[in-house]
Amino acid sequence: MSFSGFSIRGAFTLLDLNGIHTVNVLFCDCEKALPTFIQLLRFGWFPATVGFPRTAVTFRLLRFFQLLSFESKSTVFEFHKTLSRLTDNTGTKRPKNRYATLLRVVREYGHMSMLKRGGRGHDRTGAAGTRHGELALLCPACPQVGINLPDGWENTPKSKQFLYGLFIGLDANFRLKRKIVSSHLADPGLSQGWAYFVEEDGFKSYLQTFGTLILQEPSTCSNHNAVNKERAMEGYAASGAGTCDCTRHDMKRPNGVGDLQKGERLKLRPNVPFITVSYDIACQWSIHLWDRMKIYPTSLQFDPETMPVFRFLIPKFHLRAHIMACQTIYSLNYNKGCARTDGEGVERGWDHINPVATSTREMGPGNRRDTVDGHFGDFNWRKTSSMGTFLLCQIKEAVLELAEKSRLHVEFSHGLPEEDVAEWTAQLDAWEDDHSKPNPFEASLKGLSQQAVRRQLADEETKSLKDGTGFNMHEDVSASQLVTVGLELENQQHRLKVDQELLGIHATDDQKANLHLLRSRAVDAKEPQEPSPSDIPLFLPSSIPSQTPCDVRLKHIEWRLRYAQCGDALDDLRDALCMRSFVLIDKKDFSGGSGGIHVKKYRTARTALSELAPVIQQVGWDISLPVLNDVDVRPLTPEETKQGKGKKNAKGGEVDFNEDERLTKALGLSGAKAYKSTEWEERASRGGEPWGLPGVLWDDASVEGRVAYAREQSAQFLAMKNHCLEVWKNVEEYVRRSGQTVELAMKALEADEDEDNDVEN
């Protein structure tokens, strides 16, 4: 038998897992011979060129490096050096430098793997027919119309519509910068908006047309400055990347990534019926959003008749940096149907991609997009492959927490007047349906707060500077800021003292670590022989000796802040004592002795007022702010209430709730928060949400490779399905039994209350 072919002797370079080799290759050259690059591909070698290849990379090396780069974030440069040293680690017979070749082949392999996994090899239009976002891996648990939603889901009752709602988060990552390297013409990219990054030409055209039509108004709320702050662009073609993610399952969305040109400017265009959007600056970004949408093309606007129901909230971690008004209205804890979603899924995704930023910032525009697309695709696949166990863990947690929170809620509610509970529940339901109604999560009966006084002082200082009459002690720090910082340090000293008193001789390592952290926040670390941080004098105007000169304007500023501080401390102390009249909570917040934080704060502020009053000629203040003795700091007792019908509390004591409006308000606020145990019920409901994967594309093609690959994919997804069915086989029974446990606990409490009433009668 003869063989017709031609050989390449000693001039063919092969990169494999064990190094870089020079080998002899014999190609087929008969009448039916295929092109040489196809012969190499069928042999498991990826050719460097298609014309007359002289270098190839084995598929096993490419698969290995792809997974290695996803896990360890290794670069092609580092991997090529590793192969070189595997070939010769002495430096005497260095192999040929094939770094540029390996770099190109790795990029092409990643792109073609994405096309293959997206089913483009089974479509007659091939890669050219790929639509925008088609190669992105969809979140299998998010609602996909026509894929994983049950028939008739549109008719779901309003209370259950959140089951088929989409939770998405917006955020920007300013580490994913790109330097001004190469150009879009020289490096256009292999994927033209087919996966996670948007299509570059259309995106740039969109920014040029509409980017300057909207004037960015300064933020009046968030301290994160994502709105106000402009990022440095010198030397960079992109200041970062903005993304749109699924925040319930932490997955990247198709065409949900785009380069930032200046600050954070994000656009939203999903196509689902119910949408919850979480964004660090949602309180600012959502204002006039629909008015801004009107300037965009009609293709980007929603049809008013089919427009989804939107609501805009703030991720839980970022919420504390916002003003108090935002901390309830935009809270994922207090809005119905959030099912314990924290909205921070985008932030968790940055931990996966940030290690790549140091290498991608040096890449050209196309190579960077292709690389990041590959990493996002792997991130989504890992989430998909673990979705069954992930949701199982969530439903287990939800069931346990639901039972515990339901028990606490029932115990709390059964000790309150039924008419008050009904009123608070109605108020909560009304607010959840319409946020313009009174907010049950906002505390009432509060005086002028210290925060309000700070704003007043800041406004007054701004006005006086404009008038030329300002009192400015430093170019960067105003007088009110100086006093405010002193008061904050003083508050940290109080908390440090309380923590020291509560530490005890058997303190855990965590308690000691927290105490050490608090010390470091109070003041810088001191030498052992110096005073404790909690005892270091701060020399606020009220503590400066009379013979020492001090501007009287500083004393006036401290007076106003101290007066408000007294009010804040008394408000917090009263609310805590009202709650302790009913339930047991953290003792360090309102301990009856001298160790309570609120007590310490009030006494310190009042002492300062007594020092300042003679100097700035203030009289009568001590009538509304009397001396606070230890005997005055105690919860209400049944003997102190007036005669009348009371209600049994959780511990069996009797309190008259009709005589103290503050008690009613405090319990109402806590009752509203306790009512949010329903969030765990929502998560338990979402834990069993129907989730599925798009079906595998089949065709009648006779190409053996396509059929084999389709069968392989089908077998993989079938195995994943069977795995999920196995781990979820007892979930329904588990949830049902948990619900029975909650019902039994509620009946037991009702029986105990009936027994107590019978004893009284």
Side-chain angles (χ1 to χ4, degrees), residues 111-112 114-116 118-135 189-194 199 706:
H111 176 66
M112 285 192 284
M114 190 177 293
L115 287 169
K116 182 180 69 170
R120 299 311 306 163
H122 296 72
D123 192 294
R124 293 181 180 178
T125 60
T130 309
R131 299 185 300 273
H132 288 170
E134 184 178 355
L135 302 184
L190 299 176
S191 175
Q192 302 296 320
W194 294 346
E199 194 276 318
R706 293 178 180 175

Side-chain angles (χ1 to χ4, degrees), residues 15-27:
L15 283 74
D16 199 5
L17 284 174
N18 58 354
I20 302 174
H21 311 283
T22 300
V23 297
N24 299 327
V25 178
L26 181 63
F27 289 99

